[in-house]
Amino acid sequence: MRKLVVLKLGEGSFEQGFPVSVQIGNDGDRPSVETSGKLPPNPLLARYYANWQETYRSLGLRSRLQAAAVQVTNVSLLEDCQQVAREFHQALNLWIQSEPFRPVRERLLEKLLPTDEIRVILQTEDRLLQRLPWHLLDWFERYPKAELAISAPNFEQVHHSSSGMAQKVKILAILGNGEGIDIQADRALLEQLPEAEVTFLVEPQRKELTDALWEQSWHILFFAGHSSSQSTNATGQIFINQTDSLTISQLKFALRKAVERGLNLAIFNSCDGLGLAWDLADLQIPEMIVMREPVPDRVAQEFLKYFLASFSQNEPFYRAVREARERLQGLEDQFPCATWLPIICQNPAEIPPTWKGLCGHTVNLPAISTTILEANRTPVPVRKVLRLRFRRALLVSLAVGCVVMGTRQLGLLQPLELKAFDQMVRLRPQERPDPRLVVITIDDDDYQTEQKYNADEVVKKKSLSDRSLSQLLSILQQHHPRVIGLDLYRDFQVASHQSQLVNQWQQTPNLIGICKGNDASHSGLYGTAPPPNLPPNHLGFSDFVDEPDGVVRRVLLSYQQESDSICPATHAFSVEIAKRYLEKENISLSLNPDQDLQVGKKVVHRIQGRTSGYQRVHTGGTQILLNYRADPEVVVQVPLRTVLAGQLTPNLIKDRIVLIGSTHRFTEDHWATPYTVGATPKTAGVFLQAQMVSNLLGVVLDNRPLLWVWHPGVEVVWLLGWSLVSAVLVWRVRTIALLMLTIVLTIAILFGVCLGLLLLSGWVPFIPAALILVTTSGVVVLYEVAQAHQTHSALTPQEK
């Protein structure tokens, strides 16, 4: 969270104390908290400062004052300076810890978090207070992302005039009198800046400098060379060449014009710059960086290097200054108190710039900096701009969300949602095969054997001969399976010479067969009759749900057959098998009055007409979503020929469910599943029946959930939530490239959330939410580009 703290020190003195008030709020908003207190009289603190300043200046460090000094080599002087600095540091913290200041201190601790990014602005007219090293307060140790700036109590917002678009950060660099110092190092750093256009004025004449400020627009004004403001109230001056120096008042009109045209930042990488800052404050420059005392040449170069490296990588302005200032600590064995020197001077009415905010945006177009230019060219404050921008983004996102949800209701997103669901299903980890099931497969080799030795009409029907089926049932019964499921159509009489099979039909209590009901949606499809000799209570229908794209994702558990149907079964084949299996566990399986499946004490609710990605499908009968364990063919399989040859592994069949079905590639009983991709062959129906049985058993025996979906109302809240996310993104992210990257990352996060919920068996809307994110950002970007073009076209030639 970005916070703004304004610490106001009123009229007073070190002999009488200072009244204090503090305002705390979110950066860019009105203060939410204001508290008052007092700093008590402390005349000794002024003496500590004077003692430290005298000791520091007596070091004689080679600095950027108007005259070069000799490098200090006296170790005792360095130690004296460090000792005085420690005493000053301690005295300053004791002053802040005084009882009259406690309400302010406690309110700061209460309202701010160590993770907050905090701008602290110290407002006071007392110039000695402005010189104090406030960054030494122990409070700043608690808040590593906080940095302090000083400001005068009187300020106003600058109303810039428009000057078009800039693709690079425009910098006017003044390299003044460099006698005894190395300002070429500063030039080298500036020349390496990315996306910057730097104009150098090397030891310019006064007219050359003023002309440059008048005739062009600049983002940053930079000065390196000698400067000074020797006493507390002295006027600052810069030495622009070997013979001339200028005060700020002598550049007043040129600098004012530069500020009007978009000057955001002034950096004086020179000595004793507070006097310059005091004079520049009257011109309302948004941001300044100066050195509070004479700065050694090496320190000035290192600070500039660290600051530019961070700021040009789009680090926040205050954070870049703090990091660069704190990195100077590595030089304090040679240059004591180096971290005390850089200080920000802030116009509180302005927002600190960012490198990307300067580069590629309007140089000083109010819509990008601090005001916007509306149709009547009336400047509007930044906070109102931000509120208007968020309101627009929110309205657009909600409108897009409603349109997307309406489109979804019409079923237009259904194909995309089903494809996305299938992709997520494939990404789930494979579960181990259900140990309760074994599938006896009748494959191509088995059919060739059948045709060779049992060449009768049965083989032509792609079923199994009476002889082989009777032999198979006899072998299986010897191994005591709990249930046998015959997933083969047998709508014909047993041959007269195979009376043993008739007896097996009637005397095998754990045998379940299939039939197929009439399909009312396809005229001419009359279904398939059950085996003639199989009792009716040993039947289940084999019908699958008619999917819109042919991919099996649902299970039909029961439905009422048509009056003329040749299949009497009202429960699915999988339901009858699961029911027989659970009887031994003393668990009942039936349909309750609401037509939901009751398995023991658990109720499996049937799906409705609108179920997650399904929006316009027929949901007759009792249907549920199929929660695949893995690729359907990942199941224990035994070929028919292996069983008939007596090579069945002992205990493989005992107390298990045995399904018998054809995997012959020429049968029509093959289906697409979410795992069917590209040239992958379709899956035999017997494997899908195994998945369906496993689903029903897993609900009660393994506590493995079926696929669940949210209530449509919850889905609306979910999608509106992503509408809000999209609004916040387009509100906070200001560049198109970064917005695109943010949207991509957000969609990736959304996909991960949806996949994670699917791992928990939940199917939640992904495609609509992603569509809301993409469409909202696209609409807002197009709108703002159009508005910017319209605003730019409305400008007069002079404004352009």
Side-chain angles (χ1 to χ4, degrees):
M1 183 70 71
R2 295 183 177 181
K3 298 287 187 177
L4 175 63
V5 175
V6 180
L7 190 64
K8 299 181 180 181
L9 277 63
E11 185 176 353
S13 66
F14 285 91
E15 288 74 24
Q16 299 176 351
F18 297 89
V20 179
S21 67
V22 63
Q23 295 177 339
I24 307 172
N26 293 330
D27 204 352
D29 292 337
R30 293 182 179 274
S32 57
V33 174
E34 183 166 359
T35 301
S36 61
K38 185 178 180 180
L39 284 171
N42 192 350
L44 286 178
L45 193 65
R47 297 179 190 175
Y48 273 113
Y49 168 74
N51 188 24
W52 170 79
Q53 186 185 52
E54 180 181 357
T55 305
Y56 175 82
R57 295 197 175 198
S58 68
L59 292 174
L61 299 172
R62 186 182 301 277
S63 65
R64 294 187 172 188
L65 279 167
Q66 67 270 30
V70 179
Q71 182 70 35
V72 64
T73 57
N74 192 328
V75 175
S76 64
L77 292 178
L78 296 174
E79 292 176 347
D80 288 345
C81 184
Q82 292 165 350
Q83 177 60 32
V84 172
R86 284 192 291 269
E87 293 172 358
F88 188 17
H89 180 183
Q90 184 178 7
L92 182 61
N93 275 285
L94 287 174
W95 193 36
I96 295 299
Q97 293 168 10
S98 61
E99 183 63 21
F101 192 77
R102 182 174 59 83
V104 173
R105 186 174 61 253
E106 290 181 349
R107 186 53 61 95
L108 290 170
L109 295 173
E110 175 188 346
K111 296 297 181 180
L112 300 174
L113 297 174
T115 56
D116 289 338
E117 188 166 311
I118 308 168
R119 292 198 298 132
V120 182
I121 299 178
L122 177 73
Q123 282 186 324
T124 180
E125 286 183 340
D126 192 295
R127 295 190 172 182
L128 182 53
L129 284 176
Q130 291 184 353
R131 283 188 175 274
L132 297 183
W134 295 95
H135 67 279
L136 295 177
L137 298 181
D138 294 341
W139 182 87
F140 283 92
E141 294 293 329
R142 175 180 172 84
Y143 300 98
K145 296 181 180 180
E147 181 60 2
L148 177 124
I150 61 174
S151 168
N154 301 317
F155 58 87
E156 65 177 321
Q157 191 175 41
V158 179
H159 300 309
H160 302 291
S161 60
S162 177
S163 59
M165 303 295 291
Q167 299 301 319
K168 295 184 177 181
V169 179
K170 297 190 66 178
I171 303 174
L172 177 61
I174 305 166
L175 304 182
N177 181 6
E179 181 182 358
I181 59 176
D182 181 18
I183 59 176
Q184 292 303 314
D186 299 41
R187 176 170 187 156
L189 292 170
L190 292 171
E191 289 175 336
Q192 295 172 8
L193 285 173
E195 300 178 294
E197 179 183 329
V198 186
T199 300
F200 292 96
L201 298 181
V202 181
E203 295 194 348
Q205 297 300 311
R206 178 174 176 175
K207 185 177 185 304
E208 182 183 4
L209 173 56
T210 56
D211 285 348
L213 291 170
W214 272 98
E215 294 171 0
Q216 296 190 52
S217 298
W218 308 101
H219 293 108
I220 299 174
L221 174 65
F222 174 85
F223 174 80
H226 292 300
S227 67
S228 69
S229 51
Q230 291 296 329
S231 65
T232 301
N233 295 309
T235 298
Q237 56 182 340
I238 58 174
F239 295 81
I240 60 173
N241 55 47
Q242 298 287 335
T243 59
D244 299 323
S245 66
L246 293 175
T247 62
I248 297 303
S249 62
Q250 293 172 315
L251 293 172
K252 176 180 178 180
F253 300 119
L255 286 170
R256 180 177 294 167
K257 189 64 176 179
V259 172
E260 289 176 359
R261 288 185 169 178
L263 181 62
N264 278 267
L265 172 62
I267 303 174
F268 290 88
N269 203 27
S270 57
C271 287
D272 206 11
L274 279 176
L276 299 171
W278 294 330
D279 292 336
L280 285 166
D282 294 334
L283 300 176
Q284 308 302 329
I285 293 180
E287 315 283 338
M288 289 178 280
I289 300 175
V290 299
M291 300 293 174
R292 70 172 80 233
E293 294 291 337
V295 57
D297 196 33
R298 173 83 180 282
V299 173
Q301 294 167 10
E302 292 298 304
F303 172 79
L304 183 64
K305 178 177 70 175
Y306 296 141
F307 169 74
L308 292 179
S310 183
F311 185 56
S312 64
Q313 294 301 313
N314 213 40
E315 282 289 324
F317 177 78
Y318 274 58
R319 189 189 304 175
V321 172
R322 173 161 181 169
E323 289 178 359
R325 180 177 57 75
E326 291 182 337
R327 290 188 67 174
L328 298 178
Q329 190 176 40
L331 300 175
E332 289 191 331
D333 58 336
Q334 303 175 53
F335 308 102
C337 304
T339 56
W340 295 27
L341 301 180
I343 182 69
I344 301 171
C345 300
Q346 172 76 52
N347 179 347
E350 303 290 334
I351 295 177
T354 63
W355 192 262
K356 291 297 183 183
L358 298 174
C359 174
H361 292 278
T362 308
V363 174
N364 49 19
L365 189 63
I368 301 301
S369 56
T370 61
T371 60
I372 62 173
L373 196 65
E374 297 196 29
N376 60 358
R377 309 259 235 288
T378 302
V380 182
V382 168
R383 291 175 183 174
K384 186 173 181 180
V385 173
L386 295 176
R387 287 196 298 270
L388 290 173
R389 181 180 171 86
F390 178 70
R391 189 180 305 164
R392 181 171 62 240
L394 183 60
L395 290 175
V396 169
S397 67
L398 291 177
V400 169
C402 292
V403 170
V404 169
M405 285 187 281
T407 304
R408 188 175 190 243
Q409 286 280 95
L410 296 175
L412 300 180
L413 299 184
Q414 181 172 284
L416 290 176
E417 290 199 71
L418 296 181
K419 291 295 183 184
F421 170 76
D422 293 346
Q423 177 63 45
M424 292 184 188
V425 168
R426 291 192 291 272
L427 291 175
R428 295 195 305 179
Q430 301 266 350
E431 299 181 48
R432 64 181 180 85
D434 193 327
R436 295 176 289 252
L437 286 100
V438 177
V439 175
I440 307 296
T441 61
I442 307 171
D443 57 20
D444 294 355
D445 292 339
D446 293 320
Y447 270 112
Q448 290 179 2
T449 302
E450 285 289 291
Q451 290 175 342
K452 182 177 180 181
Y453 296 105
N454 302 286
D456 53 21
E457 292 299 318
V458 175
V459 175
K460 296 179 183 179
K461 296 178 181 289
K462 303 302 181 193
S463 184
L464 195 61
S465 67
D466 295 345
R467 174 179 175 275
S468 296
L469 180 57
S470 176
Q471 184 181 358
L472 174 61
L473 292 176
S474 297
I475 295 173
L476 291 177
Q477 286 294 73
Q478 294 173 12
H479 290 80
H480 306 292
R482 190 178 296 192
V483 185
I484 300 175
L486 183 63
D487 187 26
L488 293 170
Y489 290 128
R490 298 281 302 185
D491 56 339
F492 45 85
Q493 294 290 339
V494 176
S496 58
H497 60 281
Q498 291 293 342
S499 58
Q500 180 182 354
L501 180 58
V502 175
N503 295 331
Q504 289 174 312
W505 283 131
Q506 299 174 347
Q507 299 174 10
T508 306
N510 58 348
L511 176 64
I512 306 296
I514 62 171
C515 58
K516 182 176 176 60
N518 296 355
D519 191 347
S521 62
H522 295 82
S523 60
L525 297 180
Y526 295 104
T528 304
N533 306 110
L534 192 64
N537 61 342
H538 285 234
L539 281 176
F541 61 74
S542 63
D543 302 65
F544 286 179
V545 178
D546 188 15
E547 296 281 5
D549 57 356
V551 178
V552 178
R553 305 181 191 88
R554 293 175 289 164
V555 183
L556 181 61
L557 300 180
S558 71
Y559 77 99
Q560 189 64 41
Q561 300 283 357
E562 298 177 26
S563 58
D564 60 345
S565 175
I566 58 177
C567 176
T570 58
H571 290 166
F573 178 58
S574 56
V575 171
E576 290 295 333
I577 290 176
K579 180 179 179 180
R580 293 298 196 286
Y581 187 90
L582 293 173
E583 284 176 353
K584 192 172 181 180
E585 307 288 339
N586 294 321
I587 298 173
S588 62
L589 187 153
S590 62
L591 292 179
N592 64 18
D594 294 329
Q595 295 303 299
D596 292 324
L597 190 67
Q598 181 89 34
V599 185
K601 296 182 179 180
K602 295 188 177 182
V603 177
V604 179
H605 296 284
R606 59 196 178 99
I607 64 175
Q608 304 300 318
R610 300 188 186 278
T611 300
S612 194
Y614 286 114
Q615 293 296 312
R616 296 180 66 86
V617 292
H618 177 65
T619 55
T622 300
Q623 300 180 25
I624 62 172
L625 294 171
L626 179 55
N627 191 7
Y628 285 91
R629 298 179 67 95
D631 187 322
E633 296 189 15
V634 180
V635 63
V636 178
Q637 305 177 34
V638 181
L640 173 66
R641 57 189 175 278
T642 300
V643 180
L644 297 182
Q647 299 174 356
L648 197 61
T649 303
N651 297 323
L652 178 64
I653 302 300
K654 185 177 180 180
D655 209 34
R656 286 180 169 85
I657 295 171
V658 179
L659 298 181
I660 305 168
S662 173
T663 60
H664 183 38
R665 63 180 182 274
F666 294 119
T667 63
E668 296 179 358
D669 190 23
H670 283 76
W671 306 83
T673 73
Y675 296 91
T676 305
V677 181
T680 306
K682 294 182 178 181
T683 300
V686 66
F687 295 130
L688 288 177
Q689 297 287 5
Q691 287 283 333
M692 296 172 186
V693 173
S694 179
N695 266 220
L696 297 175
L697 297 180
V699 169
V700 65
L701 298 180
D702 304 331
N703 288 319
R704 181 179 183 269
L706 294 174
L707 286 180
W708 51 265
V709 298
W710 283 330
H711 185 277
V714 178
E715 291 187 339
V716 169
V717 173
W718 163 265
L719 295 177
L720 289 178
W722 285 105
S723 294
L724 181 60
V725 170
S726 65
V728 172
L729 292 179
V730 298
W731 172 52
R732 299 299 298 176
V733 182
R734 304 305 302 270
T735 64
I736 295 178
L738 184 58
L739 178 60
M740 292 174 61
L741 177 61
T742 304
I743 292 296
V744 170
L745 292 176
T746 306
I747 291 176
I749 293 171
L750 169 64
F751 185 85
V753 170
C754 293
L755 179 58
L757 290 173
L758 188 60
L759 294 178
L760 300 175
S761 301
W763 182 12
V764 302
F766 166 70
I767 290 295
L771 192 59
I772 288 172
L773 287 169
V774 173
T775 306
T776 299
S777 59
V779 169
V780 172
V781 167
L782 290 176
Y783 174 82
E784 293 197 346
V785 169
Q787 285 292 99
H789 178 73
Q790 182 180 356
T791 300
H792 186 66
S793 300
L795 298 175
T796 65
Q798 290 77 16
E799 291 173 321
K800 293 182 180 179

